[in-house]
């Protein structure tokens, strides 16, 4: 016998089963918001990296006389302190001395200011101050103008002093042409020049990493003078350009 009983109804509190019409659209929108929030820290990181790179100094590459490239301000691998500290290359040290003497002892009334400024900038501050004071006391600059003096330096020898680092004895002839009452005369000065350098860390201000710490000259007489006077030049004269600062 069949039962005519009706099935029991579900409780009224049960969750109804249905699908939202725009459910897929909302799901995609939620994914887009999540992706947008994830890109915020990435964008901030990129901005910070760009600011960091912008604040770094520019990379300056210096090509040495032997063709080697070195980044100024950075120490090359395997080179120790030689990459940043000067005074360890005999060739460069001697070239610095020659450049100073060429600029300091070769001049005329027309270019003496430029040449001496370049030479003075190669000196330490105390040596520079003493040199300027000596020039002012002796009225050296005025005498050059009055006599239309022109000096030409001929380098004969350059020797390192044993036991004294960065100290050199230079022998040369300085031909001084001057004008007096319409008559030109030439004096030949055979001198010994004592030059002592001091090493410093290389920088943009002083790429050589060297300063002139001591300079003196004394005349040579006798057979030694005659031999130096008749000897050929050791190097050809060249325009000297010093570094642009002082210690």
């Amino acid at each position: 016998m069949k039962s005519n009983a009706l099935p029991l109804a579900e409780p009224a509190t049960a969750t109804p089963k249905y699908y939202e019409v725009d459910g897929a659209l909302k799901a995609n929108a939620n994914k887009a918001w999540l992706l947008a929030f994830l890109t915020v820290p990435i964008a901030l990181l990129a901005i910070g990296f760009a600011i960091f790179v912008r604040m770094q100094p520019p990379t300056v590459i210096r090509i040495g006389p032997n063709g080697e490239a070195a980044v100024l301000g950075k120490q090359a691998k395997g080179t120790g302190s030689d990459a940043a500290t000067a005074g360890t290359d005999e060739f460069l040290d001697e070239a610095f001395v020659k450049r100073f003497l060429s600029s300091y002892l070769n001049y005329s009334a027309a270019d003496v200011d430029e040449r001496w400024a370049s030479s003075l900038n190669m000196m330490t501050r105390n040596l520079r101050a003493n040199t300027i004071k000596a020039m002012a006391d002796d009225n050296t600059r005025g005498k050059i103008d009055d006599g239309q003096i022109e000096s030409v330096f001929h380098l004969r020898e350059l020797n390192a002093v044993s036991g004294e680092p960065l100290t050199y004895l230079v022998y040369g002839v300085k031909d001084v042409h001057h004008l007096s009452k319409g008559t030109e005369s030439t004096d030949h000065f055979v001198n010994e020049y004592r030059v002592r350098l001091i090493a410093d860390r290389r920088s943009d201000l002083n790429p050589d990493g060297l300063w002139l710490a001591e300079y003196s000259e004394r005349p040579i007489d006798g057979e030694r003078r005659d031999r130096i006077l008749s000897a050929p030049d050791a190097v050809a004269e060249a325009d000297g350009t010093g570094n642009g600062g002082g210690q």
Side-chain angles (χ1 to χ4, degrees):
M1 182 177 180
K2 296 182 179 180
S3 174
N4 296 327
L6 297 175
L8 297 176
E10 295 182 0
T13 58
T15 303
K17 297 180 179 180
Y18 65 91
Y19 293 96
E20 294 186 10
V21 177
D22 57 349
L25 181 61
K26 289 184 177 181
N28 292 333
N30 292 337
K31 292 179 181 179
W33 278 108
L34 179 61
L35 182 61
F37 282 116
L38 289 178
T39 58
V40 170
I42 298 176
L44 294 177
L45 182 62
I47 294 174
F49 181 75
I51 295 175
F52 174 77
V53 172
R54 184 67 177 177
M55 293 176 62
Q56 296 301 307
T59 301
V60 180
I61 300 177
R62 182 185 185 190
I63 307 299
N66 55 356
E68 294 182 356
V71 179
L72 294 182
K74 294 185 179 180
Q75 183 169 318
K77 296 181 179 179
T79 60
S81 60
D82 293 349
T85 304
T88 57
D89 191 316
E90 182 179 357
F91 176 82
L92 295 179
D93 299 340
E94 292 183 0
F96 184 88
V97 173
K98 294 175 183 177
R99 192 166 76 245
F100 167 77
L101 293 175
S102 177
S103 177
Y104 189 62
L105 300 177
N106 287 297
Y107 58 84
S108 65
D111 62 4
V112 62
D113 293 330
E114 178 183 354
R115 287 184 170 274
W116 279 2
S118 176
S119 303
L120 291 170
N121 283 332
M122 301 174 74
M123 301 178 181
T124 57
R125 290 181 180 176
N126 49 342
L127 178 61
R128 184 193 312 163
N130 294 334
T131 303
I132 293 175
K133 183 178 183 303
M135 289 179 176
D137 294 341
D138 190 52
N139 191 27
T140 305
R141 184 65 182 87
K143 292 178 180 178
I144 293 176
D145 285 337
D146 294 341
Q148 288 299 298
I149 294 176
E150 179 180 358
S151 174
V152 180
F153 177 68
H154 305 275
L155 189 149
R156 297 293 196 251
E157 298 179 19
L158 190 152
N159 303 314
V161 178
S162 178
E164 299 185 35
L166 298 177
T167 304
Y168 299 89
L169 289 180
V170 182
Y171 301 93
V173 180
K174 184 171 66 171
D175 297 333
V176 178
H177 309 271
H178 52 86
L179 191 65
S180 176
K181 297 180 180 180
T183 302
E184 182 189 24
S185 58
T186 302
D187 296 325
H188 304 284
F189 297 94
V190 181
N191 296 330
E192 176 190 87
Y193 303 88
R194 180 181 175 87
V195 178
R196 181 174 64 85
L197 308 179
I198 185 172
D200 193 6
R201 292 190 65 84
R202 291 190 174 98
S203 64
D204 295 338
L205 180 65
N206 182 11
D208 294 306
L210 294 169
W211 302 104
L212 190 77
E214 180 183 334
Y215 171 81
S216 62
E217 59 183 72
R218 69 177 184 87
I220 299 177
D221 297 322
E223 295 182 359
R224 175 71 166 166
R225 179 186 186 280
D226 297 335
R227 186 175 66 84
I228 294 176
L229 186 61
S230 60
D233 289 351
V235 292
E237 289 78 6
D239 290 340
T241 54
N243 44 19
Q247 181 175 325

